[in-house]
Amino acid sequence: MKDDIKVIEKRSWIRYAGAVLKAKFLSIKTPLFISWILTNRCNFSCQYCHSHGNKAEELTTQQALDFVEKLARCGTQGVTLTGGEPLMREDLGKIVDSCVAQDIAVVLNSNGFMVAERIADIRKVKMVMLSLDGPEEIHDSIRGKGSFSMVMRAIDCVRARGIKVCIGTTLSSLNLSSLDSIFRISKKNKLQVFFQPAEKYQLRYNELNSIVPLAEAYKRAIAAIMVEKKNNCFIGNSFSGLKSLSCWPEPHLPLKCYGGILFVRIDANGDIKVCGRRHGSLVLGNILKNDFSNIFKGAAPAVCSTCWCASRVEFNKAMAFDLEALLGILKKV
C-alpha cells in the first residue's frame, strides 16, 4: 500500500509543479486541489459549527465516483474530503479508493470519533487532519463528552497504518488560555498543529458564533503561538501565515488568492464555489447540472482580504514565494 502511494506521489510531482508554474506565470487555470464536503451530516454538535443533524442533499455513490473521474481528466492532483464528518458516509472507502486509483492524493478531515472503526476504508489516504481544541475538559466542552479520548485513539490508529496525521485547532473564547496544553500534546505526540480563528458566524451558517474570541485576547494568543514556534518545530503555520491570521477580524495585507485558479470548493449537493469559507460565497454552478471543467474555466478568481483559513493562507503565501510557507507546502506534497 505504501509503495502504491509513493508511485502516485512521484507521478504527480511533475504535473503538480507544472500546473503551479503555469498558473503563476501564464495565468493558466487548473483545478489542482479540490476541497469537497462529502456530507453536511455530523455526529458532533460543536459550538462553532451547524453541521449536526443537517439533512441537506448529498451526492449518491455513483455521482461521487463519476465526479472523481471528471476531476482526474481535469488534472486534479489532490482532494480534501471534509464535512460535516465525512466518515458518516458509508461509501467513503469507495470514494477514497477511486481517487487513489486515478492518481489523486486524498487528505481526510475528521473529528476522529469513527476513525478506528472505519480505518480500513481510509487506509489509502495520504493524510488525516484531526480536530483538537485543547485538553480533555476544554475539547469535550466544545465537541462533546468522550471526544478527546477518541481523537487520541484515532492518532494512534492512523499512525499504526503508516498514514500521516496532523491536528487543527480552532481558536475560540474557550481555549485561548489552554495553548500550553496544545503545545505539549503536539510535541509529546510529534504532531504538526495548525491554528485558525473561530469566525463571527457558525461554519457555513447564518447564526452568530457564540464562542467567537475577543479580538485582543485572540491577538495575544497568536503572539504566544509565534513565540512558541521559535522553539517548537511542530507548529505548522508559518510565521508569515500567523502574522496574517493575527489581523483577525480586520483585513490583513493584500494577498493574491488562488481560489478559482488552482482550487475550488464542492458542497455536499454538488454546488461549486470559489471558496467555502467566505460567508455568503457565490454558487458558480452545480456538478450535476453544469460541466465542471467549463464552470472552473469561467470562474472569476477570489478577491478577498479577510481569509482566516490556515491552509488557504499557507498555500497563497507559498504561491507568493514566501520561503517558509513554500517549504511547508513542499513537505506535504
Side-chain angles (χ1 to χ4, degrees):
M1 194 61 60
K2 291 181 180 179
D3 290 340
D4 292 340
I5 295 174
K6 287 181 180 179
V7 169
I8 291 174
E9 291 175 345
K10 290 177 180 179
R11 286 178 190 165
S12 67
W13 172 245
I14 294 178
R15 294 195 295 268
Y16 170 85
V20 166
L21 292 173
K22 287 177 182 178
K24 179 71 176 177
F25 298 109
L26 302 176
S27 299
I28 296 176
K29 300 168 62 172
T30 302
L32 198 61
F33 301 109
I34 302 295
S35 177
W36 185 359
I37 301 174
L38 282 184
T39 179
N40 286 309
R41 291 175 289 146
C42 189
N43 52 340
F44 281 11
S45 54
C46 303
Q47 295 188 46
Y48 48 72
C49 182
H50 194 76
S51 285
H52 180 69
N54 194 320
K55 303 297 183 182
E57 293 182 15
E58 56 190 56
L59 304 182
T60 66
T61 301
Q62 191 56 54
Q63 288 169 338
L65 296 179
D66 289 345
F67 182 53
V68 172
E69 292 184 0
K70 291 178 182 178
L71 291 178
R73 291 196 295 270
C74 290
T76 299
Q77 297 298 301
V79 169
T80 296
L81 301 179
T82 186
E85 172 51 56
L87 286 166
M88 295 287 286
R89 284 194 62 135
E90 294 183 357
D91 59 0
L92 177 63
K94 293 181 180 179
I95 296 171
V96 170
D97 289 352
S98 179
C99 288
V100 175
Q102 296 178 78
D103 290 357
I104 299 175
V106 178
V107 174
L108 179 75
N109 289 346
S110 175
N111 60 36
F113 199 84
M114 301 172 66
V115 165
E117 65 181 85
R118 298 290 303 279
I119 191 64
D121 291 321
I122 62 173
R123 67 196 185 284
K124 294 183 180 180
V125 305
K126 179 182 178 68
M127 178 183 288
V128 174
M129 167 74 84
L130 297 169
S131 301
L132 184 68
D133 289 334
E136 185 169 9
E137 64 275 12
I138 298 297
H139 184 86
D140 283 8
S141 72
I142 295 173
R143 296 179 175 270
K145 187 175 177 59
S147 57
F148 178 87
S149 62
M150 294 303 289
V151 170
M152 302 312 293
R153 180 187 179 196
I155 291 169
D156 293 338
C157 188
V158 168
R159 280 187 162 164
R161 288 281 183 143
I163 302 169
K164 294 180 181 179
V165 60
C166 61
I167 55 178
T169 297
T170 300
L171 296 170
S172 70
S173 61
L174 300 182
N175 66 358
L176 294 185
S177 61
S178 302
L179 292 179
D180 286 345
S181 294
I182 298 171
F183 297 154
R184 286 195 296 270
I185 291 171
S186 69
K187 286 190 285 189
K188 179 181 178 181
N189 295 279
K190 297 181 179 180
L191 290 165
Q192 268 204 318
V193 55
F194 293 86
F195 295 92
Q196 65 187 36
E199 299 182 42
K200 180 179 179 181
Y201 293 96
Q202 290 184 352
L203 189 61
R204 292 184 290 276
Y205 199 61
N206 293 325
E207 291 283 339
L208 292 174
N209 177 5
S210 63
I211 59 172
V212 64
L214 295 175
E216 289 306 313
Y218 167 82
K219 293 178 187 297
R220 288 195 296 271
I222 292 292
I225 293 169
M226 294 179 76
V227 171
E228 173 70 16
K229 182 174 173 63
K230 294 177 182 179
N231 298 304
N232 184 345
C233 63
F234 296 108
I235 294 179
N237 307 72
S238 64
F239 279 107
S240 61
L242 288 168
K243 185 176 181 180
S244 290
L245 293 180
S246 71
C247 297
W248 181 91
E250 301 298 328
H252 49 68
L253 293 175
L255 177 65
K256 181 178 180 178
C257 180
Y258 282 80
I261 301 174
L262 288 174
F263 57 80
V264 288
R265 166 66 67 90
I266 307 300
D267 282 349
N269 65 354
D271 282 348
I272 306 165
K273 297 178 179 178
V274 169
C275 175
R277 302 285 304 189
R278 188 166 52 188
H279 189 64
S281 186
L282 179 68
V283 176
L284 305 176
N286 186 283
I287 64 171
L288 302 181
K289 303 174 184 178
N290 313 101
D291 180 77
F292 172 73
S293 178
N294 288 338
I295 290 293
F296 182 82
K297 289 177 182 178
V303 179
C304 186
S305 60
T306 57
C307 182
W308 312 120
C309 175
S311 61
R312 294 289 182 257
V313 169
E314 293 299 325
F315 183 84
N316 290 327
K317 288 282 186 181
M319 290 297 294
F321 293 135
D322 179 280
L323 182 58
E324 184 192 1
L326 181 60
L327 290 174
I329 295 294
L330 290 176
K331 287 180 181 178
K332 292 181 181 179
V333 174

